[in-house]
Amino acid sequence: MVNARTFRLWQHLAVSDDLPDQALPAVTEALCAPFRSRYGVSGNGEDWRKKALKEALPVLLRRTTDPALRQRLVGQTDDLQLADFAEKGLIAADDVPVLVHARRVTADLVIGLARHPGQVDAAVGLLSHLADHDLESVVTHWGLYSHRSRKPVPPIPRELFDAVLERSLTPLAAALLAPEQHDDWTRSLDFQLGFSHQIGDGPDWRVLAACRERWRELVDHPTIGAAVQHLLLDQAESEAHQQRLQAPASSCSAEDSVEAKTTAEPGPVLDEDLLRACLPALCLPELAELPKPSVNARHRLHHIAERVRRNPRLLDLASQELHEAADTCVRRGRLLAPPRKKQDGDRRQVDLAQDVALLSINPDHLAKVCALLTRLEQPKVVSVPPSRRWSHIKDDPNFDSPLRLLERYYQHRRAQALTSLADNPHTPRAAVTNVLAALHPLELTWLAHHDDAPGWLCEAAAALAPAEEDEGVLRLLTDDELDRHPDPGAILQSWLDAPEKDGLCSRKDVHHAVLRSRHRTLEHLRHLPFDEVLTWDAPVVALPALLDRCGTEPHRWQALLNALDFDFDDDNVTFGQFLDTLSAQLAPTTPA
């Protein structure tokens, strides 16, 4: 049994120049074996041993050549220490087999090995043991720990960078060759889970972004060229724009920020030659023949449109290809047919209208898209009474104006899509003006005051817009205003009966206005979500109904407990349905 007091001695022996090679196995065993007392592994003893081993490791690794002993020593190091040893040359290419079996391979370890010219091949061989985020770190962390050696950091070896780049982009390149084998590209109508999710700003893009000077060369690469083209079209301009937005706030003074905003916008990241080289990937030919065209054609069209929005010059460089791709997507996916399900409706139809308006020159398709807009639900704009919630912005006189309310909840997007269609010279004007009759009065007012809309559309909308700006706005009254009405309860019921738009704050505003009103009755509460009623104002609103149902009978209160424990996952469950569930649990014990 090793005594804790002897660790200092073993440490001095390990670093001594007089220690013979024959003693290395014993010293290594003494410093690597867990310290044990009669009661088991000792915490204090382990701390002493590890401290002594840490001091002795550099000397032991420099002197030890036996693979078994080196494996024992390597197994005792942490990740940062091992990377530091690799950078100092204490861990070399000959230790790679030991490292793979004894330690977790990290990006810093690969970097440390690759700092030495003769070990680059060994570092490349370790890349297969790294996860995607670690693979990216080989490039992004290359100069991160330069303070360790106090020497100028050499550039990352070309063969290592090429290996990292190829390993990062190979999965995407393989997916592009066989997209039908990747179900997650087509599993959802949500664009963020489709093809856009695969070509995102992940590790593959961040590795590619680190070699901007090589982009023109890489777009023609025989293996990963297509992947490079897709990534550049999707990410290059977006990232540059984000960096320009963040730079003044993070690295410039206030005066510099004002000057930066007044200077000319920097040129595009992708010059015309590079943008032309990426044109083979522009229209996503990999998705053209995938099954489920009603889903995939919509994905493809939207993705192409997003690329054009990031790189507007594409409309001039590849106008014919874009028009043909748009027509193909519309026809193959039957995208202009009315949606069969409500959840496939409003948002997706607005996105479709804007995409077709941007890419198509087919008058029939553009006219049909206009007709689709007439089938969308009318917006519901709710004007709430003044409250403390918005007191911090009372200085803005237009904050509660109907037009601002329309934009705040993104209910102006249908009118915005109509503006995009009107901007397309190939859209029949009659198809656009026919939509105006189906718009909400507030949408007409928005169009009439929209500076970016064509003049003829503004004039047509102004002719139909109501004289009063708040026409069509659901105005929630205060109790003082309701007191002057002969039937306040009917007013509350009219609020609840008004068509609702899911996912909008206005829906909550209506519910809270009813809960806040002293004119509410149980019939009003039955229409509200049960969780809002139960938790409103320290559940005092729900107490009368619950007390009336349960009374003084213990089994009824137990039934209430069971009902409250029920998992109501559906947000549409109302307080009335909750009371009905409670009644159903009481039914077996209710006397006939």
Side-chain angles (χ1 to χ4, degrees):
M1 181 183 299
V2 180
N3 192 298
R5 297 189 183 93
T6 65
F7 283 128
R8 189 71 173 170
L9 172 63
W10 287 114
Q11 176 189 337
H12 283 295
L13 285 172
V15 301
S16 173
D17 295 335
D18 298 328
L19 184 71
D21 292 343
Q22 293 81 358
L24 289 176
V27 174
T28 300
E29 178 63 25
L31 291 174
C32 292
F35 175 75
R36 296 182 179 276
S37 66
R38 67 181 62 187
Y39 304 108
V41 177
S42 170
N44 289 336
E46 273 294 279
D47 291 341
W48 296 330
R49 180 189 69 81
K50 290 178 180 178
K51 183 177 180 181
L53 177 62
K54 183 177 182 180
E55 299 293 331
L57 262 175
V59 176
L60 290 176
L61 286 172
R62 191 176 294 112
R63 294 190 56 181
T64 303
T65 58
D66 180 74
L69 291 180
R70 291 186 69 83
Q71 182 173 356
R72 190 75 187 275
L73 292 170
V74 168
Q76 295 288 320
T77 59
D78 58 38
D79 291 342
L80 290 178
Q81 195 176 28
L82 193 62
D84 188 44
F85 288 159
E87 188 170 348
K88 293 177 178 177
L90 300 177
I91 299 294
D94 295 339
D95 295 310
V96 167
V98 173
L99 294 172
V100 171
H101 291 89
R103 298 292 304 174
R104 181 179 72 91
V105 177
T106 65
D108 291 337
L109 174 60
V110 174
I111 292 172
L113 288 172
R115 295 273 198 222
H116 305 274
Q119 300 178 167
V120 175
D121 290 341
V124 170
L126 289 177
L127 295 180
S128 60
H129 299 277
L130 296 178
D132 289 344
H133 62 278
D134 288 329
L135 199 62
E136 168 203 351
S137 298
V138 174
V139 174
T140 57
H141 288 187
W142 178 259
L144 195 59
Y145 304 110
S146 57
H147 61 276
R148 289 175 177 169
S149 60
R150 297 182 180 179
K151 297 179 181 179
V153 178
I156 184 170
R158 177 68 176 260
E159 53 267 44
L160 177 62
F161 193 100
D162 286 349
V164 172
L165 187 65
E166 191 162 348
R167 286 192 60 85
S168 297
L169 270 67
T170 293
L172 176 58
L176 292 169
L177 290 175
E180 68 281 353
Q181 298 179 10
H182 295 264
D183 294 338
D184 53 346
W185 287 14
T186 59
R187 68 185 175 186
S188 172
L189 286 172
D190 189 340
F191 297 127
Q192 297 304 319
L193 295 180
F195 191 77
S196 302
H197 181 66
Q198 297 294 323
I199 314 179
D201 56 347
D204 48 358
W205 161 247
R206 289 190 287 273
V207 173
L208 181 62
C211 61
R212 180 173 173 176
E213 71 283 353
R214 297 180 56 193
W215 285 353
R216 184 60 187 88
E217 162 200 341
L218 290 171
V219 293
D220 297 325
H221 193 282
T223 305
I224 61 173
V228 172
Q229 295 171 22
H230 282 292
L231 287 171
L232 291 180
L233 288 172
D234 279 0
Q235 302 300 329
E237 300 296 347
S238 297
E239 179 164 304
H241 179 67
Q242 290 298 323
Q243 290 175 352
R244 287 194 291 267
L245 290 177
Q246 297 170 4
S250 59
S251 61
C252 299
S253 63
E255 294 80 3
D256 293 336
S257 299
V258 174
E259 183 179 353
K261 292 178 181 179
T262 58
T263 56
E265 183 75 11
V269 176
L270 303 179
D271 58 39
E272 184 171 330
D273 178 57
L274 186 52
L275 201 57
R276 287 184 183 277
C278 294
L279 291 183
L282 171 61
C283 294
L284 302 162
E286 297 85 1
L287 298 187
E289 301 299 328
L290 285 181
K292 299 181 182 178
S294 61
V295 176
N296 293 303
R298 187 185 296 269
H299 275 292
R300 185 186 177 206
L301 179 65
H302 186 71
H303 201 129
I304 295 172
E306 287 295 298
R307 287 179 169 180
V308 173
R309 292 184 183 106
R310 297 185 190 102
N311 303 275
R313 293 169 295 155
L314 290 170
L315 284 173
D316 296 326
L317 295 178
S319 57
Q320 185 64 29
E321 293 87 344
L322 291 171
H323 300 330
E324 292 177 356
D327 284 355
T328 300
C329 290
V330 169
R331 290 193 181 99
R332 189 168 188 272
R334 298 181 179 178
L335 302 183
L336 302 184
R340 291 177 293 180
K341 299 180 181 178
K342 182 179 181 299
Q343 59 266 32
D344 296 343
D346 289 9
R347 181 173 65 87
R348 301 194 188 285
Q349 296 304 314
V350 170
D351 288 337
L352 174 65
Q354 292 179 328
D355 295 341
V356 173
L358 178 65
L359 300 177
S360 180
I361 60 172
N362 188 318
D364 291 337
H365 290 172
L366 292 166
K368 289 180 180 179
V369 169
C370 291
L372 280 180
L373 295 179
T374 64
R375 300 186 178 96
L376 303 185
E377 289 185 0
Q378 297 282 26
K380 176 185 176 183
V381 181
V382 178
S383 176
V384 300
S387 67
R388 295 179 181 176
R389 182 173 55 166
W390 305 118
S391 59
H392 60 291
I393 48 178
K394 281 184 177 178
D395 294 337
D396 184 356
N398 297 319
F399 178 77
D400 287 326
S401 67
L403 290 179
R404 289 284 290 275
L405 291 172
L406 186 76
E407 293 178 344
R408 186 181 307 157
Y409 300 131
Y410 299 98
Q411 298 182 78
H412 68 298
R413 293 195 65 217
R414 175 168 66 165
Q416 195 175 47
L418 189 63
T419 300
S420 300
L421 288 163
D423 284 332
N424 190 323
H426 300 278
T427 306
R429 286 195 179 186
V432 176
T433 54
N434 288 341
V435 180
L436 297 177
L439 296 184
H440 188 278
L442 200 53
E443 291 177 297
L444 293 171
T445 304
W446 185 89
L447 282 172
H449 292 83
H450 190 51
D451 295 335
D452 294 333
W456 60 269
L457 179 59
C458 293
E459 293 176 2
L464 297 175
E468 297 295 331
E469 190 177 275
D470 60 352
E471 183 174 331
V473 177
L474 178 60
R475 184 169 176 267
L476 303 181
L477 306 178
T478 64
D479 274 348
D480 291 340
E481 293 173 313
L482 288 172
D483 289 341
R484 297 191 291 270
H485 197 276
D487 190 356
I491 298 296
L492 295 182
Q493 189 62 46
S494 69
W495 298 349
L496 295 170
D497 293 340
E500 292 183 342
K501 297 283 289 183
D502 292 338
L504 296 176
C505 296
S506 56
R507 182 182 183 185
K508 292 266 187 189
D509 290 333
V510 172
H511 296 165
H512 292 174
V514 174
L515 287 167
R516 196 180 293 113
S517 175
R518 60 175 176 266
H519 298 286
R520 67 176 183 269
T521 64
L522 179 59
E523 288 305 314
H524 296 131
L525 296 180
R526 289 183 64 89
H527 291 82
L528 302 180
F530 89 101
D531 56 336
E532 291 189 22
V533 177
L534 292 180
T535 58
W536 179 263
D537 194 17
V540 69
V541 173
L543 280 180
L546 299 179
L547 289 170
D548 181 65
R549 295 257 172 173
C550 298
T552 59
E553 300 184 32
H555 74 277
R556 292 178 177 267
W557 289 102
Q558 184 62 43
L560 173 62
L561 175 63
N562 295 337
L564 289 174
D565 283 343
F566 185 78
D567 187 13
F568 291 96
D569 289 332
D570 190 354
D571 293 336
N572 294 324
V573 174
T574 64
F575 185 58
Q577 292 171 324
F578 172 78
L579 293 179
D580 294 340
T581 300
L582 178 60
S583 299
Q585 294 189 17
L586 293 175
T589 59
T590 302

